[in-house]
Amino acid sequence: FVYVLGSLFCLLVLRDIDGLLGSYFTLILFAGVSVNDSFSYIFGKWIGGKKIAPSISPKKTYAGLIGGLISTVFFIFFFHKFIFPLTFIDQCVFIFILNIVGFFGDIFESSLKRRVNIKDSSRLLMGHGGMLDRLDSLILTTPVTLFYVIAYYL
């Protein structure tokens, strides 16, 4: 409960900061998490290979993690070039947040589900692990993004 609502609160604060600064950090967050998650899934499914944490999340592979990283690098490059200029430090930090922090958000949510022996967190999106599986990366990347933006922009 606190995990999800805390992230939602951080998202609202981040959106207010975007309005104040005229920035696009919320867009980077939503679009970047979607790109990373989608391409992690595609590369993991396409290439397969060694599992990262089979007891927690049996379908996560190193190929998926690397595919997500590659896609995130391209996403940040295009975002910087065509939507909103980012410093080199911003680019590196957002690649880390979207790929690595997003991965840990996914693993954390999977471990919570394993602890209580449930496969899907809801029936809203059957076959996708439920609603939390669609948002797990976003739930952890949001507060990390907010803290970064506060530390370096306010």
Side-chain angles (χ1 to χ4, degrees):
F1 186 71
V2 172
Y3 178 59
V4 175
L5 287 182
S7 181
L8 181 59
F9 173 76
C10 289
L11 185 60
L12 294 172
V13 172
L14 184 63
R15 186 64 195 123
D16 285 345
I17 291 172
D18 276 344
L20 179 69
L21 299 177
S23 58
Y24 292 89
F25 296 120
T26 307
L27 179 61
I28 291 171
L29 185 62
F30 272 94
V33 163
S34 294
V35 166
N36 185 67
D37 282 354
S38 297
F39 281 93
S40 292
Y41 174 79
I42 290 167
F43 275 79
K45 207 62 157 156
W46 180 47
I47 297 172
K50 186 170 170 69
K51 309 294 185 203
I52 297 174
S55 63
I56 298 172
S57 189
K59 295 182 181 178
K60 299 278 181 277
T61 64
Y62 286 100
L65 184 64
I66 293 168
L69 174 63
I70 292 167
S71 69
T72 301
V73 168
F74 278 107
F75 167 76
I76 292 296
F77 171 77
F78 285 111
F79 195 92
H80 165 72
K81 194 86 170 149
F82 299 110
I83 298 174
F84 185 73
L86 300 165
T87 68
F88 180 72
I89 299 295
D90 285 345
Q91 292 174 41
C92 293
V93 167
F94 280 110
I95 289 168
F96 175 80
I97 289 172
L98 296 170
N99 187 253
I100 303 302
V101 176
F103 169 76
F104 281 111
D106 193 356
I107 291 294
F108 179 70
E109 191 268 338
S110 293
S111 72
L112 291 178
K113 287 185 351 184
R114 294 266 179 249
R115 281 186 176 161
V116 292
N117 289 326
I118 58 171
K119 181 181 177 343
D120 292 342
S121 57
S122 74
R123 293 189 178 149
L124 187 60
L125 297 170
M126 295 305 288
H128 289 274
M131 197 61 184
L132 279 181
D133 267 2
R134 297 296 94 211
L135 301 174
D136 51 12
S137 297
L138 189 64
I139 291 172
L140 191 57
T141 55
T142 299
V144 173
T145 300
L146 176 63
F147 295 142
Y148 173 73
V149 169
I150 288 171
Y152 291 98
Y153 287 92
L154 294 181

